[in-house]
Amino acid sequence: MPLDIETVRNIAFLARIKVPEDELEALAGELSNILGWVDQLAGVDTEGVEPMTSVVEMTLHEREDVVNEGERPEDVLANAPEREDGFFAVPKVVE
Amino acid sequence: MSRGLTELTVSEAGDRLAESEVTAEALTEAHLAAAEAARALNIFVCETPDRALEQARASDARRASGEILGPLDGIPIAVKDLFCTEDVPTTAASHILDGFTAPYESTVSAKLKAAGAVMVGKTNLDEFAMGSSNATSYFGPVKNPWRGKTGKDLVPGGSSGGSAAAVAARTCLAAIGTDTGGSIRQPASLCGVVGMKPTYGRCSRWGIVAFASSLDQAGPITRTVRDAAIVLGVIAGHDPRDSTSARVEVPDFETALRAGDVRGLKVGIPKEYRVDGTPDEIEELWERGADWLRDAGASVEAISLPHTEYALPAYYIVAPAEASSNLARYDGVRFGLRVPGESLDEMYENTRGRGFGPEVRRRVLIGTYVLSAGYYDAYYVKAQRVRTLIARDFHKAFERVDVVLTPTTPSAAFPIGEKMDDPIAMYLNDVFTVPANLSGLPGISVPAGLDADGLPLGLHLIGRPFDEETVLRAAQALENAAKFSGVPDFVEARR
């Protein structure tokens, strides 16, 4: 099922990726090709087949509910593009 | 004799270090010089000569006092720039990680460090490991040290193309890569070196920049099977920081290799891997591989993996879906690139619009689509069901055989720039390697011959979960029979 430009614009918004208007059409074509190609899975009989949830058989273990790391605010903030008073700074979100 | 030092294997270099015939410092200097001489190939995102020499001297000092950390102590290695390393920037070959230096060390690179390995640099890759040619790197493509008779600049494969090229170009004795759909094995094949993807869960994923969490796995790239066994022994093992890392014992892979041959081993040849358009040379090499194993005492039989043709399409739903989720963290807030915007949303959109290259953007959008309301069942759940069927095919096959033999890739290295405008043609590079990722199985590519253009071709073995020992044993039998002695044009020219 080919994607139209409006759908691509919407996916791009959901993914928070700005796509220039003049690239939307070409992108819609590329994505439609890929989706058309993966659509061949529709022909596989998966009746009664469980979706894979674990790649290899293993039991997930629970760790002790204790603090094992922390108290490293400087390390956490070290890569921030913008910081203020020990916080990450972002454009204003509340009026 | 610096040229001689870069021709050693890990095990030979280890022996020479042990016999005091060479120092780690001299070994490191030789490889740093080779890395510098190979700059035109664009193998490294970041060379770390000062740190390497410091590590080498520390190794020599340890050895002098009788304290040796293991078989990699003093051995020059390269690390794919997808592993977070303290004090050295980590880029994932993406613009969006501009200026990022991790405040921690990935478990795999930490294990290498603790084992005394000397890091000569961090290698180039496809952006976020998404690609099969190394051409999607923000830092430009890597050139394959092999040109053969083509006379053209060829791709090294991807995504661990820098790591494979680093080993082939003799800039290190071993390298570490990651493999999500073939990203260790395919470039190893295209560069004429050994590349192994261990069982999912064998090595910790902690500190590796995540692409597709249910598929990603770290592994070694080396020039011999024995070296792969040595490196795997160092990087494998349970890690409490990765809940999917397996609580299984790590065997002594090298000893297993020394002890065993392949007499009595059962090898399966899956008929579904005969794909239209595969060059005759590759089909013939595959048959020769089967003969080699038979001559070495294994038995070879035809098997069926009926859902093989659906592996790639299932992969191109599952991997982008997981990627779209994993890459949500690149938002311009906590690390990396920030491109300003009027609002928070606009800042996110600008940052991600500018920060991601075309292939990453494509995959994140595909992933977003297949996970979105109304399509989740039709695409994602369907793909996970198909994945169960693919894994079941292998499970059944392994009731009859011990390993599966296939070609590694459907073609040898191709010119840089080719297949770039046709994503699906590029995806087809991984047709033989993707099923092992979907099923979590160990796989290895061994250089097995040269094609008519003088370019290397690999053979690929897939084994049972956590049975790397058998995979390595069979790989060594192939290696012994193939007697691959090809040297990349780039290395030959420097001699």
Side-chain angles (χ1 to χ4, degrees), chain B residues 445-492:
Chain B
S445 178
V446 181
L450 298 177
D451 73 358
D453 284 327
L455 298 174
L457 296 169
L459 284 171
H460 179 220
L461 291 157
I462 306 169
R464 296 189 180 98
F466 300 107
D467 190 12
E468 285 86 356
E469 287 159 283
T470 302
V471 174
L472 286 162
R473 211 147 46 85
Q476 194 169 54
L478 286 178
E479 181 180 55
N480 288 341
K483 297 190 178 61
F484 182 85
S485 57
V487 174
D489 307 78
F490 180 82
V491 175
E492 195 67 62

mmCIF file of all heavy atoms in Angstrom, chain B residues 445-492:
data_model
loop_
_atom_site.group_PDB
_atom_site.id
_atom_site.type_symbol
_atom_site.label_atom_id
_atom_site.label_comp_id
_atom_site.label_asym_id
_atom_site.label_seq_id
_atom_site.Cartn_x
_atom_site.Cartn_y
_atom_site.Cartn_z
ATOM 1 N N SER B 445 32.213 -15.998 9.569
ATOM 2 C CA SER B 445 32.635 -15.976 8.173
ATOM 3 C C SER B 445 34.137 -16.207 8.108
ATOM 4 O O SER B 445 34.904 -15.590 8.853
ATOM 5 C CB SER B 445 32.298 -14.629 7.520
ATOM 6 O OG SER B 445 32.766 -14.617 6.178
ATOM 7 N N VAL B 446 34.539 -17.106 7.221
ATOM 8 C CA VAL B 446 35.949 -17.458 7.058
ATOM 9 C C VAL B 446 36.352 -17.159 5.612
ATOM 10 O O VAL B 446 35.653 -17.567 4.690
ATOM 11 C CB VAL B 446 36.154 -18.970 7.324
ATOM 12 C CG1 VAL B 446 37.612 -19.351 7.188
ATOM 13 C CG2 VAL B 446 35.616 -19.343 8.690
ATOM 14 N N PRO B 447 37.466 -16.462 5.398
ATOM 15 C CA PRO B 447 37.890 -16.219 4.015
ATOM 16 C C PRO B 447 38.224 -17.543 3.337
ATOM 17 O O PRO B 447 38.954 -18.361 3.894
ATOM 18 C CB PRO B 447 39.132 -15.325 4.148
ATOM 19 C CG PRO B 447 39.562 -15.416 5.575
ATOM 20 C CD PRO B 447 38.376 -15.853 6.382
ATOM 21 N N ALA B 448 37.662 -17.752 2.145
ATOM 22 C CA ALA B 448 37.774 -19.082 1.544
ATOM 23 C C ALA B 448 38.326 -19.069 0.128
ATOM 24 O O ALA B 448 38.659 -20.109 -0.413
ATOM 25 C CB ALA B 448 36.412 -19.766 1.557
ATOM 26 N N GLY B 449 38.425 -17.892 -0.474
ATOM 27 C CA GLY B 449 38.955 -17.863 -1.831
ATOM 28 C C GLY B 449 38.833 -16.479 -2.440
ATOM 29 O O GLY B 449 38.326 -15.549 -1.801
ATOM 30 N N LEU B 450 39.336 -16.373 -3.672
ATOM 31 C CA LEU B 450 39.248 -15.117 -4.414
ATOM 32 C C LEU B 450 38.376 -15.340 -5.648
ATOM 33 O O LEU B 450 38.376 -16.424 -6.228
ATOM 34 C CB LEU B 450 40.631 -14.653 -4.859
ATOM 35 C CG LEU B 450 41.652 -14.328 -3.764
ATOM 36 C CD1 LEU B 450 42.994 -13.952 -4.403
ATOM 37 C CD2 LEU B 450 41.178 -13.206 -2.862
ATOM 38 N N ASP B 451 37.638 -14.310 -6.035
ATOM 39 C CA ASP B 451 36.845 -14.438 -7.253
ATOM 40 C C ASP B 451 37.692 -14.063 -8.472
ATOM 41 O O ASP B 451 38.901 -13.791 -8.345
ATOM 42 C CB ASP B 451 35.548 -13.602 -7.159
ATOM 43 C CG ASP B 451 35.789 -12.102 -7.267
ATOM 44 O OD1 ASP B 451 36.960 -11.672 -7.386
ATOM 45 O OD2 ASP B 451 34.800 -11.349 -7.255
ATOM 46 N N ALA B 452 37.074 -14.036 -9.642
ATOM 47 C CA ALA B 452 37.833 -13.795 -10.879
ATOM 48 C C ALA B 452 38.468 -12.408 -10.879
ATOM 49 O O ALA B 452 39.480 -12.178 -11.557
ATOM 50 C CB ALA B 452 36.912 -13.958 -12.090
ATOM 51 N N ASP B 453 37.896 -11.464 -10.116
ATOM 52 C CA ASP B 453 38.475 -10.126 -10.005
ATOM 53 C C ASP B 453 39.563 -10.045 -8.942
ATOM 54 O O ASP B 453 40.080 -8.956 -8.657
ATOM 55 C CB ASP B 453 37.382 -9.102 -9.662
ATOM 56 C CG ASP B 453 36.517 -8.769 -10.869
ATOM 57 O OD1 ASP B 453 37.055 -8.784 -11.992
ATOM 58 O OD2 ASP B 453 35.321 -8.493 -10.676
ATOM 59 N N GLY B 454 39.846 -11.172 -8.301
ATOM 60 C CA GLY B 454 40.855 -11.166 -7.253
ATOM 61 C C GLY B 454 40.344 -10.614 -5.931
ATOM 62 O O GLY B 454 41.119 -10.142 -5.103
ATOM 63 N N LEU B 455 39.032 -10.681 -5.737
ATOM 64 C CA LEU B 455 38.448 -10.177 -4.490
ATOM 65 C C LEU B 455 38.039 -11.333 -3.578
ATOM 66 O O LEU B 455 37.582 -12.376 -4.058
ATOM 67 C CB LEU B 455 37.215 -9.315 -4.804
ATOM 68 C CG LEU B 455 37.493 -8.067 -5.626
ATOM 69 C CD1 LEU B 455 36.180 -7.372 -5.990
ATOM 70 C CD2 LEU B 455 38.407 -7.114 -4.862
ATOM 71 N N PRO B 456 38.200 -11.138 -2.258
ATOM 72 C CA PRO B 456 37.940 -12.239 -1.336
ATOM 73 C C PRO B 456 36.452 -12.593 -1.223
ATOM 74 O O PRO B 456 35.583 -11.729 -1.330
ATOM 75 C CB PRO B 456 38.473 -11.710 0.002
ATOM 76 C CG PRO B 456 38.528 -10.232 -0.129
ATOM 77 C CD PRO B 456 38.718 -9.937 -1.580
ATOM 78 N N LEU B 457 36.213 -13.878 -0.982
ATOM 79 C CA LEU B 457 34.870 -14.387 -0.722
ATOM 80 C C LEU B 457 34.924 -15.226 0.553
ATOM 81 O O LEU B 457 35.897 -15.944 0.780
ATOM 82 C CB LEU B 457 34.388 -15.263 -1.877
ATOM 83 C CG LEU B 457 34.194 -14.594 -3.241
ATOM 84 C CD1 LEU B 457 33.971 -15.663 -4.312
ATOM 85 C CD2 LEU B 457 33.016 -13.625 -3.192
ATOM 86 N N GLY B 458 33.866 -15.147 1.342
ATOM 87 C CA GLY B 458 33.846 -15.906 2.596
ATOM 88 C C GLY B 458 32.835 -17.033 2.577
ATOM 89 O O GLY B 458 31.876 -17.017 1.809
ATOM 90 N N LEU B 459 33.089 -18.018 3.437
ATOM 91 C CA LEU B 459 32.077 -19.037 3.716
ATOM 92 C C LEU B 459 31.581 -18.834 5.144
ATOM 93 O O LEU B 459 32.311 -18.361 6.013
ATOM 94 C CB LEU B 459 32.653 -20.446 3.536
ATOM 95 C CG LEU B 459 32.832 -20.889 2.074
ATOM 96 C CD1 LEU B 459 33.602 -22.208 2.019
ATOM 97 C CD2 LEU B 459 31.475 -21.019 1.370
ATOM 98 N N HIS B 460 30.343 -19.227 5.353
ATOM 99 C CA HIS B 460 29.624 -18.861 6.576
ATOM 100 C C HIS B 460 29.121 -20.123 7.259
ATOM 101 O O HIS B 460 28.559 -21.001 6.602
ATOM 102 C CB HIS B 460 28.445 -17.973 6.131
ATOM 103 C CG HIS B 460 27.552 -17.485 7.219
ATOM 104 N ND1 HIS B 460 26.186 -17.419 7.078
ATOM 105 C CD2 HIS B 460 27.815 -17.016 8.453
ATOM 106 C CE1 HIS B 460 25.654 -16.927 8.178
ATOM 107 N NE2 HIS B 460 26.610 -16.669 9.035
ATOM 108 N N LEU B 461 29.342 -20.208 8.549
ATOM 109 C CA LEU B 461 28.833 -21.328 9.335
ATOM 110 C C LEU B 461 27.906 -20.803 10.420
ATOM 111 O O LEU B 461 28.194 -19.789 11.052
ATOM 112 C CB LEU B 461 29.989 -22.083 9.992
ATOM 113 C CG LEU B 461 30.909 -22.863 9.054
ATOM 114 C CD1 LEU B 461 32.270 -23.082 9.713
ATOM 115 C CD2 LEU B 461 30.277 -24.198 8.665
ATOM 116 N N ILE B 462 26.799 -21.498 10.624
ATOM 117 C CA ILE B 462 25.847 -21.142 11.683
ATOM 118 C C ILE B 462 25.739 -22.346 12.617
ATOM 119 O O ILE B 462 25.694 -23.496 12.140
ATOM 120 C CB ILE B 462 24.451 -20.836 11.093
ATOM 121 C CG1 ILE B 462 24.534 -19.756 10.001
ATOM 122 C CG2 ILE B 462 23.472 -20.399 12.185
ATOM 123 C CD1 ILE B 462 23.240 -19.601 9.202
ATOM 124 N N GLY B 463 25.701 -22.099 13.916
ATOM 125 C CA GLY B 463 25.648 -23.212 14.871
ATOM 126 C C GLY B 463 24.505 -23.100 15.863
ATOM 127 O O GLY B 463 23.704 -22.158 15.812
ATOM 128 N N ARG B 464 24.452 -24.076 16.756
ATOM 129 C CA ARG B 464 23.423 -24.079 17.807
ATOM 130 C C ARG B 464 23.706 -22.958 18.813
ATOM 131 O O ARG B 464 24.853 -22.522 18.969
ATOM 132 C CB ARG B 464 23.459 -25.404 18.568
ATOM 133 C CG ARG B 464 23.124 -26.605 17.741
ATOM 134 C CD ARG B 464 22.981 -27.834 18.661
ATOM 135 N NE ARG B 464 22.666 -29.011 17.867
ATOM 136 C CZ ARG B 464 23.571 -29.914 17.473
ATOM 137 N NH1 ARG B 464 24.840 -29.767 17.816
ATOM 138 N NH2 ARG B 464 23.199 -30.944 16.759
ATOM 139 N N PRO B 465 22.647 -22.522 19.522
ATOM 140 C CA PRO B 465 22.866 -21.489 20.533
ATOM 141 C C PRO B 465 23.956 -21.924 21.542
ATOM 142 O O PRO B 465 23.945 -23.068 21.998
ATOM 143 C CB PRO B 465 21.513 -21.356 21.239
ATOM 144 C CG PRO B 465 20.521 -22.083 20.400
ATOM 145 C CD PRO B 465 21.253 -22.975 19.457
ATOM 146 N N PHE B 466 24.853 -21.028 21.820
ATOM 147 C CA PHE B 466 25.942 -21.231 22.788
ATOM 148 C C PHE B 466 26.858 -22.407 22.434
ATOM 149 O O PHE B 466 27.525 -22.963 23.294
ATOM 150 C CB PHE B 466 25.388 -21.379 24.218
ATOM 151 C CG PHE B 466 24.621 -20.157 24.629
ATOM 152 C CD1 PHE B 466 23.228 -20.191 24.724
ATOM 153 C CD2 PHE B 466 25.267 -18.962 24.863
ATOM 154 C CE1 PHE B 466 22.516 -19.045 25.054
ATOM 155 C CE2 PHE B 466 24.567 -17.813 25.197
ATOM 156 C CZ PHE B 466 23.187 -17.862 25.288
ATOM 157 N N ASP B 467 26.869 -22.761 21.157
ATOM 158 C CA ASP B 467 27.808 -23.801 20.723
ATOM 159 C C ASP B 467 28.855 -23.193 19.787
ATOM 160 O O ASP B 467 29.103 -23.702 18.696
ATOM 161 C CB ASP B 467 27.056 -24.957 20.052
ATOM 162 C CG ASP B 467 27.973 -26.161 19.815
ATOM 163 O OD1 ASP B 467 29.093 -26.169 20.381
ATOM 164 O OD2 ASP B 467 27.585 -27.053 19.054
ATOM 165 N N GLU B 468 29.441 -22.082 20.208
ATOM 166 C CA GLU B 468 30.499 -21.460 19.422
ATOM 167 C C GLU B 468 31.680 -22.401 19.229
ATOM 168 O O GLU B 468 32.412 -22.302 18.246
ATOM 169 C CB GLU B 468 30.997 -20.169 20.102
ATOM 170 C CG GLU B 468 30.071 -18.969 19.991
ATOM 171 C CD GLU B 468 29.014 -18.941 21.075
ATOM 172 O OE1 GLU B 468 28.947 -19.892 21.876
ATOM 173 O OE2 GLU B 468 28.251 -17.955 21.132
ATOM 174 N N GLU B 469 31.854 -23.330 20.185
ATOM 175 C CA GLU B 469 33.009 -24.233 20.075
ATOM 176 C C GLU B 469 32.949 -25.047 18.779
ATOM 177 O O GLU B 469 33.944 -25.186 18.076
ATOM 178 C CB GLU B 469 33.034 -25.184 21.279
ATOM 179 C CG GLU B 469 33.446 -24.485 22.556
ATOM 180 C CD GLU B 469 32.979 -25.256 23.771
ATOM 181 O OE1 GLU B 469 31.782 -25.165 24.092
ATOM 182 O OE2 GLU B 469 33.812 -25.946 24.378
ATOM 183 N N THR B 470 31.766 -25.585 18.481
ATOM 184 C CA THR B 470 31.613 -26.383 17.256
ATOM 185 C C THR B 470 31.759 -25.505 16.016
ATOM 186 O O THR B 470 32.385 -25.900 15.028
ATOM 187 C CB THR B 470 30.243 -27.100 17.254
ATOM 188 O OG1 THR B 470 30.163 -27.911 18.416
ATOM 189 C CG2 THR B 470 30.059 -27.953 16.022
ATOM 190 N N VAL B 471 31.180 -24.302 16.086
ATOM 191 C CA VAL B 471 31.270 -23.376 14.951
ATOM 192 C C VAL B 471 32.743 -23.056 14.678
ATOM 193 O O VAL B 471 33.200 -23.082 13.527
ATOM 194 C CB VAL B 471 30.469 -22.086 15.238
ATOM 195 C CG1 VAL B 471 30.671 -21.069 14.127
ATOM 196 C CG2 VAL B 471 28.985 -22.394 15.406
ATOM 197 N N LEU B 472 33.490 -22.779 15.720
ATOM 198 C CA LEU B 472 34.911 -22.446 15.564
ATOM 199 C C LEU B 472 35.705 -23.634 15.022
ATOM 200 O O LEU B 472 36.585 -23.477 14.175
ATOM 201 C CB LEU B 472 35.497 -21.998 16.910
ATOM 202 C CG LEU B 472 35.076 -20.586 17.383
ATOM 203 C CD1 LEU B 472 35.336 -20.412 18.879
ATOM 204 C CD2 LEU B 472 35.814 -19.510 16.589
ATOM 205 N N ARG B 473 35.367 -24.811 15.512
ATOM 206 C CA ARG B 473 36.057 -26.029 15.085
ATOM 207 C C ARG B 473 35.845 -26.247 13.585
ATOM 208 O O ARG B 473 36.783 -26.507 12.840
ATOM 209 C CB ARG B 473 35.502 -27.210 15.888
ATOM 210 C CG ARG B 473 36.435 -28.321 16.154
ATOM 211 C CD ARG B 473 36.157 -28.981 17.524
ATOM 212 N NE ARG B 473 34.749 -29.253 17.777
ATOM 213 C CZ ARG B 473 34.087 -30.346 17.369
ATOM 214 N NH1 ARG B 473 34.691 -31.253 16.645
ATOM 215 N NH2 ARG B 473 32.819 -30.532 17.682
ATOM 216 N N ALA B 474 34.595 -26.127 13.148
ATOM 217 C CA ALA B 474 34.302 -26.301 11.721
ATOM 218 C C ALA B 474 34.953 -25.180 10.910
ATOM 219 O O ALA B 474 35.450 -25.406 9.800
ATOM 220 C CB ALA B 474 32.791 -26.317 11.498
ATOM 221 N N ALA B 475 34.969 -23.984 11.472
ATOM 222 C CA ALA B 475 35.581 -22.843 10.776
ATOM 223 C C ALA B 475 37.069 -23.086 10.581
ATOM 224 O O ALA B 475 37.635 -22.767 9.534
ATOM 225 C CB ALA B 475 35.343 -21.555 11.569
ATOM 226 N N GLN B 476 37.690 -23.670 11.591
ATOM 227 C CA GLN B 476 39.117 -23.933 11.459
ATOM 228 C C GLN B 476 39.397 -25.000 10.391
ATOM 229 O O GLN B 476 40.382 -24.903 9.664
ATOM 230 C CB GLN B 476 39.729 -24.361 12.791
ATOM 231 C CG GLN B 476 41.232 -24.312 12.744
ATOM 232 C CD GLN B 476 41.864 -24.468 14.114
ATOM 233 O OE1 GLN B 476 41.594 -25.417 14.839
ATOM 234 N NE2 GLN B 476 42.682 -23.524 14.482
ATOM 235 N N ALA B 477 38.489 -25.954 10.285
ATOM 236 C CA ALA B 477 38.647 -26.971 9.237
ATOM 237 C C ALA B 477 38.558 -26.315 7.857
ATOM 238 O O ALA B 477 39.330 -26.647 6.950
ATOM 239 C CB ALA B 477 37.585 -28.056 9.389
ATOM 240 N N LEU B 478 37.622 -25.372 7.701
ATOM 241 C CA LEU B 478 37.523 -24.641 6.441
ATOM 242 C C LEU B 478 38.793 -23.840 6.180
ATOM 243 O O LEU B 478 39.342 -23.832 5.079
ATOM 244 C CB LEU B 478 36.329 -23.666 6.469
ATOM 245 C CG LEU B 478 34.916 -24.223 6.340
ATOM 246 C CD1 LEU B 478 33.907 -23.087 6.447
ATOM 247 C CD2 LEU B 478 34.732 -24.967 5.016
ATOM 248 N N GLU B 479 39.253 -23.171 7.230
ATOM 249 C CA GLU B 479 40.451 -22.340 7.117
ATOM 250 C C GLU B 479 41.665 -23.186 6.700
ATOM 251 O O GLU B 479 42.423 -22.797 5.803
ATOM 252 C CB GLU B 479 40.710 -21.683 8.477
ATOM 253 C CG GLU B 479 41.901 -20.762 8.544
ATOM 254 C CD GLU B 479 42.056 -20.175 9.941
ATOM 255 O OE1 GLU B 479 42.133 -20.943 10.935
ATOM 256 O OE2 GLU B 479 42.084 -18.938 10.070
ATOM 257 N N ASN B 480 41.804 -24.342 7.342
ATOM 258 C CA ASN B 480 42.938 -25.216 7.022
ATOM 259 C C ASN B 480 42.896 -25.678 5.566
ATOM 260 O O ASN B 480 43.920 -25.760 4.897
ATOM 261 C CB ASN B 480 42.937 -26.447 7.935
ATOM 262 C CG ASN B 480 43.328 -26.089 9.358
ATOM 263 O OD1 ASN B 480 43.921 -25.027 9.599
ATOM 264 N ND2 ASN B 480 42.974 -26.935 10.310
ATOM 265 N N ALA B 481 41.689 -25.981 5.094
ATOM 266 C CA ALA B 481 41.559 -26.493 3.729
ATOM 267 C C ALA B 481 41.666 -25.363 2.702
ATOM 268 O O ALA B 481 42.256 -25.545 1.638
ATOM 269 C CB ALA B 481 40.231 -27.222 3.575
ATOM 270 N N ALA B 482 41.106 -24.200 3.035
ATOM 271 C CA ALA B 482 41.086 -23.098 2.064
ATOM 272 C C ALA B 482 42.485 -22.526 1.854
ATOM 273 O O ALA B 482 42.796 -22.021 0.779
ATOM 274 C CB ALA B 482 40.133 -22.002 2.533
ATOM 275 N N LYS B 483 43.310 -22.587 2.898
ATOM 276 C CA LYS B 483 44.671 -22.031 2.837
ATOM 277 C C LYS B 483 44.657 -20.633 2.213
ATOM 278 O O LYS B 483 45.466 -20.324 1.338
ATOM 279 C CB LYS B 483 45.595 -22.949 2.030
ATOM 280 C CG LYS B 483 45.781 -24.321 2.653
ATOM 281 C CD LYS B 483 46.895 -25.091 1.944
ATOM 282 C CE LYS B 483 47.135 -26.442 2.559
ATOM 283 N NZ LYS B 483 45.950 -27.346 2.512
ATOM 284 N N PHE B 484 43.736 -19.824 2.657
ATOM 285 C CA PHE B 484 43.608 -18.472 2.110
ATOM 286 C C PHE B 484 44.861 -17.666 2.452
ATOM 287 O O PHE B 484 45.214 -17.518 3.612
ATOM 288 C CB PHE B 484 42.371 -17.785 2.698
ATOM 289 C CG PHE B 484 42.115 -16.410 2.166
ATOM 290 C CD1 PHE B 484 41.418 -16.233 0.982
ATOM 291 C CD2 PHE B 484 42.576 -15.280 2.837
ATOM 292 C CE1 PHE B 484 41.174 -14.969 0.475
ATOM 293 C CE2 PHE B 484 42.346 -14.012 2.335
ATOM 294 C CZ PHE B 484 41.639 -13.857 1.159
ATOM 295 N N SER B 485 45.537 -17.169 1.432
ATOM 296 C CA SER B 485 46.773 -16.433 1.718
ATOM 297 C C SER B 485 46.754 -15.081 1.008
ATOM 298 O O SER B 485 47.780 -14.431 0.876
ATOM 299 C CB SER B 485 47.979 -17.251 1.273
ATOM 300 O OG SER B 485 47.847 -17.538 -0.101
ATOM 301 N N GLY B 486 45.581 -14.705 0.525
ATOM 302 C CA GLY B 486 45.466 -13.444 -0.208
ATOM 303 C C GLY B 486 45.846 -12.255 0.653
ATOM 304 O O GLY B 486 45.575 -12.237 1.851
ATOM 305 N N VAL B 487 46.491 -11.299 0.047
ATOM 306 C CA VAL B 487 46.886 -10.080 0.754
ATOM 307 C C VAL B 487 46.231 -8.902 0.033
ATOM 308 O O VAL B 487 46.290 -8.820 -1.197
ATOM 309 C CB VAL B 487 48.425 -9.924 0.753
ATOM 310 C CG1 VAL B 487 48.847 -8.598 1.356
ATOM 311 C CG2 VAL B 487 49.069 -11.076 1.494
ATOM 312 N N PRO B 488 45.594 -7.983 0.786
ATOM 313 C CA PRO B 488 44.932 -6.851 0.124
ATOM 314 C C PRO B 488 45.915 -6.037 -0.721
ATOM 315 O O PRO B 488 47.084 -5.892 -0.356
ATOM 316 C CB PRO B 488 44.405 -6.014 1.287
ATOM 317 C CG PRO B 488 44.391 -6.909 2.471
ATOM 318 C CD PRO B 488 45.449 -7.942 2.242
ATOM 319 N N ASP B 489 45.406 -5.498 -1.817
ATOM 320 C CA ASP B 489 46.253 -4.695 -2.715
ATOM 321 C C ASP B 489 46.965 -3.577 -1.973
ATOM 322 O O ASP B 489 48.127 -3.292 -2.223
ATOM 323 C CB ASP B 489 45.382 -4.077 -3.823
ATOM 324 C CG ASP B 489 44.567 -5.139 -4.517
ATOM 325 O OD1 ASP B 489 43.530 -5.564 -3.933
ATOM 326 O OD2 ASP B 489 44.959 -5.566 -5.599
ATOM 327 N N PHE B 490 46.238 -2.964 -1.030
ATOM 328 C CA PHE B 490 46.815 -1.845 -0.298
ATOM 329 C C PHE B 490 48.051 -2.281 0.495
ATOM 330 O O PHE B 490 49.057 -1.566 0.540
ATOM 331 C CB PHE B 490 45.763 -1.247 0.651
ATOM 332 C CG PHE B 490 46.275 -0.091 1.442
ATOM 333 C CD1 PHE B 490 46.302 1.176 0.879
ATOM 334 C CD2 PHE B 490 46.755 -0.267 2.731
ATOM 335 C CE1 PHE B 490 46.794 2.248 1.599
ATOM 336 C CE2 PHE B 490 47.251 0.799 3.453
ATOM 337 C CZ PHE B 490 47.272 2.061 2.888
ATOM 338 N N VAL B 491 47.981 -3.462 1.095
ATOM 339 C CA VAL B 491 49.098 -3.977 1.895
ATOM 340 C C VAL B 491 50.240 -4.401 0.976
ATOM 341 O O VAL B 491 51.410 -4.111 1.226
ATOM 342 C CB VAL B 491 48.625 -5.151 2.779
ATOM 343 C CG1 VAL B 491 49.800 -5.777 3.522
ATOM 344 C CG2 VAL B 491 47.554 -4.675 3.760
ATOM 345 N N GLU B 492 49.864 -5.067 -0.118
ATOM 346 C CA GLU B 492 50.854 -5.522 -1.100
ATOM 347 C C GLU B 492 51.653 -4.336 -1.644
ATOM 348 O O GLU B 492 52.878 -4.392 -1.766
ATOM 349 C CB GLU B 492 50.091 -6.209 -2.250
ATOM 350 C CG GLU B 492 50.950 -7.037 -3.168
ATOM 351 C CD GLU B 492 51.526 -8.259 -2.479
ATOM 352 O OE1 GLU B 492 50.746 -9.115 -2.041
ATOM 353 O OE2 GLU B 492 52.765 -8.348 -2.388
#
